[in-house]
Amino acid sequence: MLGALAVAVVAAGCAGPGGRFDQAEGCRNQLTSFNGAGDALLAGGGRWDQGHFSRATVTATNFTGRNAAAPAGLEAGLAQENADLDALQIAFDALLYCRWIEARTIRAELAANRVPRPAADSRMAALRARLQRDLARAQQVLDGLERR
C-alpha cells in the first residue's frame, strides 16, 4: 500500500501541464527548469513598471564607482533581475543541449541498426515537435519581457 502511494506521488510530480505524462520526454528535468525560470522571471514583472520609482530618484552617476544616491531597493532589484535572466538562459541552454543529445542518440541508434528507419523517423518527428514547443515557449517569455 505504501509503495503504491509512493509511485503515485512520484508519477504526479513528473506529470506535465494538465497532468499529462510524456513517457518519451527525455529532457523532463531541463524542461521543468526552463519553464520554472521563465515563469519566475515573468511573475516578477511588476517590479519595474513605470512609476514604481519616480524620476526624482534618478540622479547623476558618480563615475568613480557606484551611483551614490541610488535607492537600495533599485540596486537589489536589478541584481535579482539579472540573476533571473542568467538562470533563464542557463536553463534554456541546458534544454537545447539535451534536445541535441536526443537527436544524436536517435541518429546513432539508426546508424547502428538498433532501430528501424520508421521508428527513428517517428522519434525524430516527436523530437522536432517538442523542440517547436520549446521555441514557442521561449518566444512567449521573450514577448513577456519585451512587454515589461
Side-chain angles (χ1 to χ4, degrees):
M1 181 72 148
L2 186 56
L5 179 61
V7 168
V9 169
V10 169
C14 296
R20 293 184 315 267
F21 182 85
D22 185 359
Q23 291 288 131
E25 177 60 72
C27 300
R28 190 174 305 117
N29 292 337
Q30 293 85 351
L31 181 61
T32 301
S33 293
F34 173 61
N35 285 333
D39 290 345
L41 188 63
L42 294 178
R47 288 187 291 213
W48 305 113
D49 290 340
Q50 285 185 340
H52 181 72
F53 293 108
S54 69
R55 292 194 186 277
T57 62
V58 178
T59 61
T61 302
N62 173 359
F63 290 103
T64 61
R66 296 191 181 281
N67 185 346
L74 178 62
E75 190 171 316
L78 286 173
Q80 182 61 52
E81 184 90 0
N82 286 333
D84 290 346
L85 284 169
D86 287 344
L88 179 65
Q89 184 65 58
I90 289 167
F92 186 62
D93 290 347
L95 178 58
L96 290 182
Y97 183 70
C98 184
R99 297 291 188 217
W100 180 76
I101 294 294
E102 279 187 309
R104 300 268 312 195
T105 301
I106 294 167
R107 286 187 201 118
E109 289 176 348
L110 178 63
N113 292 322
R114 286 187 292 239
V115 176
R117 175 155 301 276
D121 289 345
S122 174
R123 287 175 55 195
M124 193 61 82
L127 176 59
R128 280 189 202 101
R130 287 192 295 272
L131 182 59
Q132 288 303 315
R133 284 192 301 269
D134 298 341
L135 294 175
R137 172 66 175 152
Q139 187 62 53
Q140 179 186 23
V141 171
L142 180 61
D143 292 346
L145 288 173
E146 287 176 353
R147 279 191 299 275
R148 284 181 34 201

